[in-house]
């Protein structure tokens, strides 16, 4: 993580929050050494091909945006939702601070979609970016802060935003996945490591959301590579990541 990456993320979030028209799908070709094929081949992504080599795999993946008319998409309705209701060291939703926050937000009184959107906006407006922690996570020295500590300090990275959001969701019995992946530039070869979430709705299925930006749905330049109940469970090793974007093209 660097200050340039933060600026890059901020610019891209601003672009997709203000988008007014449906975007085309986009196909990325990349070299990557860390990924879960099943995760990379789950909506809103399609894994087109994987050619493995000693140094890393050449991957072609197609993405589409889900942030514009999210409720009209047919999301995945796979089993295993209960696996993502667990508490963990990082998603410590039984902590009194989390329970008090949940109560103050009145999430119990809301339907699931209202609760999801309320929690997203709360996290976005409450948690400030912590550059020092981002460097520690990027270098492999830390897995990040737990949800309760994040709420107490009111600062963290994208991962801490997911931890806090996931804690609030699981406290309401809404399954929530921790997603790790890449945020790619559509104008150059820049990328940043990123974390977001997927929440389960009985009607919609698994819906991607970005707690850091407060958005319901995610843009087409997010490429997910791993998932789990928290960062440690995903198996992602940011400090050992090898990545190169070879190119991209828009498709119908």
């Amino acid at each position: 993580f660097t200050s340039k990456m933060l600026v890059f993320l901020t610019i891209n979030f601003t672009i997709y929050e203000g988008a007014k028209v449906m975007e085309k799908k986009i196909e990325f070709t990349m070299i990557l050494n860390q990924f879960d094929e099943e995760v990379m081949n789950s909506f809103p992504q399609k894994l087109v091909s994987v050619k493995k080599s000693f140094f890393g795999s050449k991957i072609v993946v197609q993405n589409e945006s889900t942030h514009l008319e999210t409720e009209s998409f047919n999301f995945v309705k796979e089993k295993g939702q209960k696996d993502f209701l667990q508490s963990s060291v990082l998603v410590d939703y039984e902590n009194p601070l989390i329970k008090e926050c949940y109560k103050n937000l009145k999430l119990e009184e809301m339907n699931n979609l209202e609760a999801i959107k309320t929690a997203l906006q709360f996290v976005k407006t409450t948690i400030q970016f912590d550059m020092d922690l981002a460097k520690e996570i990027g270098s492999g020295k830390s897995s990040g802060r737990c949800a309760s500590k994040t709420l107490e300090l009111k600062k963290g990275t994208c991962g801490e935003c997911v931890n806090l959001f996931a804690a609030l969701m699981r406290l309401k019995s809404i399954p929530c996945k921790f997603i790790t992946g890449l945020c790619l530039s559509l104008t150059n070869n820049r990328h940043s490591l990123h974390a977001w979430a997927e929440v389960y709705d009985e009607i919609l299925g698994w819906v991607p959301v970005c707690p850091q930006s407060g958005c319901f749905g995610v843009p087409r330049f997010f490429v997910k590579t791993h998932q789990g109940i928290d960062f440690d469970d995903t198996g992602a090793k940011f400090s050992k990541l090898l990545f190169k974007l070879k190119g991209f093209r828009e498709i119908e």
Side-chain angles (χ1 to χ4, degrees):
F1 287 89
T2 66
S3 57
K4 288 183 179 180
M5 288 181 180
L6 176 58
V7 172
F8 162 56
L9 279 169
T10 302
I11 292 173
N12 276 327
F13 287 151
T14 302
I15 291 173
Y16 90 78
E17 282 186 303
K20 299 297 183 182
V21 296
M22 186 60 72
E23 298 164 332
K24 294 180 180 179
K25 293 181 182 180
I26 191 164
E27 182 177 275
F28 292 104
T29 300
M30 64 189 75
I31 303 297
L32 188 63
N33 70 330
Q34 294 181 34
F35 59 93
D36 182 315
E37 287 193 29
E38 184 176 351
V39 173
M40 291 200 76
N41 196 37
S42 59
F43 189 84
Q45 290 181 192
K46 177 182 178 182
L47 188 58
V48 179
S49 65
V50 178
K51 294 183 179 180
K52 297 182 179 180
S53 66
F54 180 78
F55 295 103
S57 298
K58 182 178 181 181
I59 294 174
V60 178
V61 62
Q62 293 177 358
N63 282 26
E64 61 181 295
S65 295
T66 58
H67 65 277
L68 297 171
E69 294 180 3
T70 298
E71 294 177 37
S72 68
F73 284 97
N74 294 316
F75 293 100
V76 177
K77 296 183 179 180
E78 65 187 12
K79 297 180 180 180
Q81 298 93 317
K82 291 183 179 179
D83 294 340
F84 299 98
L85 287 172
Q86 301 177 47
S87 63
S88 70
V89 172
L90 292 172
V91 185
D92 55 340
Y93 64 76
E94 296 176 350
N95 185 284
L97 285 177
I98 301 298
K99 291 185 175 180
E100 181 181 8
C101 177
Y102 178 84
K103 182 179 178 180
N104 291 339
L105 290 174
K106 300 181 179 180
L107 298 182
E108 186 64 35
E109 303 172 14
M110 302 177 186
N111 64 43
N112 284 0
L113 289 181
E114 289 174 339
I116 291 168
K117 293 177 180 179
T118 298
L120 284 171
Q121 287 305 305
F122 171 75
V123 173
K124 173 189 176 181
T125 57
T126 302
I127 306 304
Q128 300 299 311
F129 191 79
D130 188 334
M131 180 59 72
D132 291 335
L133 180 60
K135 291 178 180 178
E136 290 182 9
I137 295 172
S139 65
K141 296 179 180 179
S142 173
S143 295
R145 296 191 188 102
C146 64
S148 60
K149 195 66 176 179
T150 298
L151 183 59
E152 178 185 345
L153 297 177
K154 293 183 172 53
K155 62 179 181 178
T157 70
C158 52
E160 282 63 53
C161 290
V162 178
N163 289 340
L164 178 54
F165 174 77
L168 293 171
M169 292 296 95
R170 293 176 192 175
L171 194 54
K172 190 172 171 60
S173 298
I174 298 176
C176 184
K177 295 179 180 180
F178 191 108
I179 305 294
T180 62
L182 302 159
C183 178
L184 304 180
S185 171
L186 302 186
T187 57
N188 52 47
N189 195 31
R190 289 185 181 179
H191 74 281
S192 61
L193 308 174
H194 194 42
W196 58 101
E198 289 185 0
V199 286
Y200 193 79
D201 178 81
E202 291 184 358
I203 297 175
L204 298 176
W206 285 105
V207 181
V209 297
C210 183
Q212 186 180 43
S213 63
C215 287
F216 191 72
V218 296
R220 59 184 181 162
F221 49 81
F222 279 19
V223 175
K224 59 180 176 177
T225 58
H226 300 82
Q227 68 180 31
I229 62 171
D230 57 23
F231 179 74
D232 286 337
D233 187 52
T234 65
K237 304 293 183 184
F238 285 171
S239 63
K240 297 181 180 180
L241 177 72
L242 296 176
F243 170 82
K244 183 175 180 59
L245 180 63
K246 304 292 289 184
F248 64 88
R249 66 185 182 95
E250 290 191 318
I251 57 176
E252 296 297 332

